[in-house]
Amino acid sequence: MLDTICWDSNLIRRYDLAGPRYTSYPTAAQFGSQVGTFDLLHALRDSRKALRPLSLYVHIPFCANICYYCACNKVITKDRGRAHAYLQRLEQEIQLIGCHLDPTQRVEQLHFGGGTPTFLSHDELRQLMAKLRQHLNLLDDDSGDYGIEIDPREADWSTMGLLRELGFNRVSIGLQDLDPAVQRAVNRLQSLEETRAVVEAARTLQFRSINIDLIYGLPKQTPENFARTVQEVIHLQPDRLSVFNYAHLPERFMPQRRINSQDLPTPEQKLAMLQGTIEQLTAAGYRYVGMDHFALPDEELAIAQEEATLQRNFQGYTTHGHCDLIGLGVSAISQIGDLYCQNSSDLNHYQNTLADGQLATSRGLICNADDRLRRAVIQQLICHFHLPFAEIEQTFNIDFRGYFAPQWPQLQAMAADGLIELDDTHIRVLPAGRLLVRSVCMVFDAYLDQHNRQRFSRVI
């Protein structure tokens, strides 16, 4: 079993840097307009030839209400009819993509994200799932991991029943915080009863896994009131928990300008929230998987980490990293072989491009040999906290210490500080370094410098 976290305030202060979350390497910050639709079609052809299994991400951008902290690609509207034109183009994209895949390529993983996927009506959800099943090989035996993000204010028992009927077996529930003062400060009023009703429905309907999202660092939060939220969530007994650090970047995300920066907790209070949350969740039996994620010991992610099969992609930690990931919808990102590509993030441009019969690919990159090597190193560290050099050397035909000679002094400094264990055969992230694993990964990032670090959130 992996070591537990060792809290070291001194190390956290020194290594709490701004940097990527490494849902990919290279990160989306490196995407450029040199990659377009032709590259996507070429990658789909290779996927079809290799008959690789698939993971689908479907982006539904609509929300009825704005949450001030949100940095997602979204459209705020009370008009449910706004979804009609979007769904027409999304279904057209599904059909175009399906033409370039083999009917036997199984969709092992499916995730609806947003926005608020349950903004759609029951009939729209039925129609969208029918279109996916018509053009792609979705599984009918409940063996796939088919998840959807839920806003409890936009879901009831009948909605949950419909989702289960359509084949969804995982739910991720946005909660963020239960304190009324915090909820008012971020414009997200949501009662514990609403959340509990969705959790109970998911359990009764035999959804396989329930995840709850929390955010620490929001306005009006204190270590004491956030601890009360965490305790209530523990009583709900989700299988997984995501505890995200709020990054206040009002210059980049306009809704955050409605947050009074004077209401934000201090860095010391944020650290106290995180430390307290880790202690509460650990005492309740949750395992720290990494990068804000906690899971019960018998949950799939915890087991995969124990068995060294855990991977990471644009959907976060996953057991389906061997699949080609296809993103559908505005701003959605695909990872197919060595290709990363992203649809246009502008709703009108996305819809107009598809109206002209073209896919809406707007930017991306194709990994080179160095990218593939560094991606493997970062993936191993961020998923398993242990990197044996021999595996990398054999796979990529390099001498690890020689290849990364410029980085070696920085690694030695981290070893001297107690973040990692380092010798000529391996790197092991120590218990004091597990919360700071992003900082370790940054050492191997060839694209990261002081200038472009400012676009990322801090590690903690």
Side-chain angles (χ1 to χ4, degrees):
M1 180 172 174
L2 288 164
D3 293 321
T4 55
I5 299 167
C6 175
W7 186 271
D8 189 319
S9 298
N10 182 49
L11 280 181
I12 289 170
R13 280 191 292 271
R14 292 172 60 191
Y15 284 97
D16 181 19
L17 308 171
R21 298 183 59 80
Y22 294 115
T23 49
S24 73
Y25 181 85
T27 69
Q30 306 307 318
F31 291 4
S33 58
Q34 70 275 11
V35 164
T37 302
F38 176 81
D39 301 287
L40 173 58
L41 295 178
H42 185 79
L44 289 171
R45 184 190 67 184
D46 290 344
S47 181
R48 182 179 72 243
K49 284 182 179 178
L51 295 177
R52 289 195 289 266
L54 304 175
S55 172
L56 302 182
Y57 172 77
V58 182
H59 191 71
I60 308 297
F62 303 100
C63 292
N65 300 286
I66 190 166
C67 301
Y68 297 160
Y69 56 80
C70 184
C72 298
N73 183 288
K74 59 197 173 295
V75 175
I76 308 301
T77 179
K78 299 287 188 183
D79 180 7
R80 304 282 166 162
R82 286 284 301 277
H84 179 70
Y86 179 75
L87 289 174
Q88 279 188 309
R89 301 309 169 207
L90 179 59
E91 290 174 6
Q92 193 173 354
E93 182 182 18
I94 292 166
Q95 184 173 350
L96 287 170
I97 291 288
C99 289
H100 295 279
L101 294 167
D102 191 282
T104 63
Q105 287 181 264
R106 293 158 47 95
V107 178
E108 292 187 3
Q109 185 179 38
L110 169 69
H111 187 80
F112 276 32
T116 306
T118 47
F119 179 93
L120 303 181
S121 70
H122 288 196
D123 285 344
E124 287 169 336
L125 284 165
R126 282 194 184 94
Q127 182 177 332
L128 179 54
M129 285 298 290
K131 184 64 69 170
L132 284 167
R133 290 189 182 279
Q134 179 184 349
H135 294 285
L136 297 161
N137 184 17
L138 269 63
L139 306 177
D140 292 318
D141 59 1
D142 209 36
S143 62
D145 285 336
Y146 291 1
I148 185 167
E149 295 171 11
I150 297 286
D151 180 341
R153 303 169 301 172
E154 292 275 353
D156 54 19
W157 270 82
S158 64
T159 301
M160 298 300 289
L162 171 71
L163 295 175
R164 194 69 185 94
E165 172 194 324
L166 292 177
F168 291 99
N169 50 31
R170 294 182 176 273
V171 290
S172 183
I173 299 169
L175 176 58
Q176 323 317 347
D177 194 291
L178 284 168
D179 187 273
V182 177
Q183 292 184 350
R184 284 192 293 271
V186 298
N187 197 44
R188 187 186 176 102
L189 296 174
Q190 176 181 328
S191 70
L192 175 59
E193 289 69 30
E194 286 174 308
T195 304
R196 184 185 290 119
V198 169
V199 170
E200 290 177 351
R203 288 232 164 80
T204 302
L205 294 164
Q206 297 184 315
F207 279 78
R208 185 184 306 158
S209 179
I210 299 168
N211 175 83
I212 290 181
D213 289 341
L214 298 176
I215 298 178
Y216 69 97
L218 294 174
K220 303 288 188 181
Q221 278 181 337
T222 66
E224 292 76 23
N225 65 28
F226 192 64
R228 288 193 290 271
T229 289
V230 173
Q231 197 56 49
E232 291 289 359
V233 169
I234 288 171
H235 290 153
L236 295 175
Q237 293 186 295
D239 304 280
R240 300 179 189 175
L241 272 157
S242 303
V243 187
F244 296 110
N245 168 25
Y246 171 63
H248 189 58
L249 301 169
E251 65 281 1
R252 288 187 59 199
F253 306 113
M254 193 174 295
Q256 295 186 0
R257 297 173 192 174
R258 303 192 194 187
I259 289 176
N260 184 351
S261 60
Q262 293 183 338
D263 288 338
L264 295 171
T266 66
E268 291 75 21
Q269 287 177 313
K270 285 183 71 173
L271 280 181
M273 286 181 218
L274 179 59
Q275 183 176 7
T277 299
I278 290 169
E279 290 170 355
Q280 284 178 276
L281 293 178
T282 301
Y286 286 88
R287 288 269 308 277
Y288 178 70
V289 176
M291 289 292 297
D292 320 309
H293 283 68
F294 298 80
L296 292 172
D298 60 351
E299 211 280 333
E300 183 182 66
L301 291 186
I303 293 171
Q305 191 173 58
E306 197 79 44
E307 296 177 349
T309 58
L310 187 66
Q311 294 169 291
R312 190 164 171 82
N313 64 15
F314 286 105
Q315 296 189 34
Y317 285 109
T318 180
T319 57
H320 298 277
H322 60 285
C323 296
D324 280 334
L325 171 60
I326 295 176
L328 301 164
V330 63
S331 76
I333 298 177
S334 299
Q335 179 180 348
I336 306 169
D338 286 329
L339 172 76
Y340 296 126
C341 65
Q342 183 174 23
N343 284 343
S344 173
S345 295
D346 180 85
L347 183 66
N348 290 329
H349 185 262
Y350 168 83
Q351 292 182 170
N352 292 338
T353 304
L354 280 155
D356 292 336
Q358 302 295 317
L359 291 169
T361 308
S362 66
R363 64 191 198 116
L365 66 81
I366 299 172
C367 292
N368 60 33
D370 181 69
D371 293 334
R372 289 192 291 271
L373 166 59
R374 292 173 187 268
R375 177 172 65 185
V377 168
I378 289 170
Q379 175 108 188
Q380 184 69 22
L381 286 169
I382 212 163
C383 290
H384 304 294
F385 305 105
H386 181 223
L387 177 70
F389 298 159
E391 294 178 14
I392 296 292
E393 290 175 332
Q394 184 174 0
T395 301
F396 294 96
N397 193 27
I398 62 157
D399 170 66
F400 190 95
R401 184 162 180 178
Y403 194 96
F404 291 108
Q407 287 76 38
W408 204 257
Q410 200 171 347
L411 292 172
Q412 287 177 316
M414 287 183 164
D417 285 340
L419 258 73
I420 62 173
E421 176 183 282
L422 174 71
D423 62 25
D424 290 335
T425 65
H426 74 284
I427 296 169
R428 186 183 302 278
V429 182
L430 296 173
R434 291 187 66 192
L435 288 171
L436 300 162
V437 68
R438 279 166 68 186
S439 295
V440 181
C441 292
M442 287 181 219
V443 174
F444 297 97
D445 190 332
Y447 299 96
L448 198 62
D449 57 37
Q450 283 302 120
H451 173 70
N452 64 22
R453 268 190 186 178
Q454 303 315 308
R455 65 182 295 132
F456 300 109
S457 64
R458 296 176 78 85
V459 170
I460 293 177

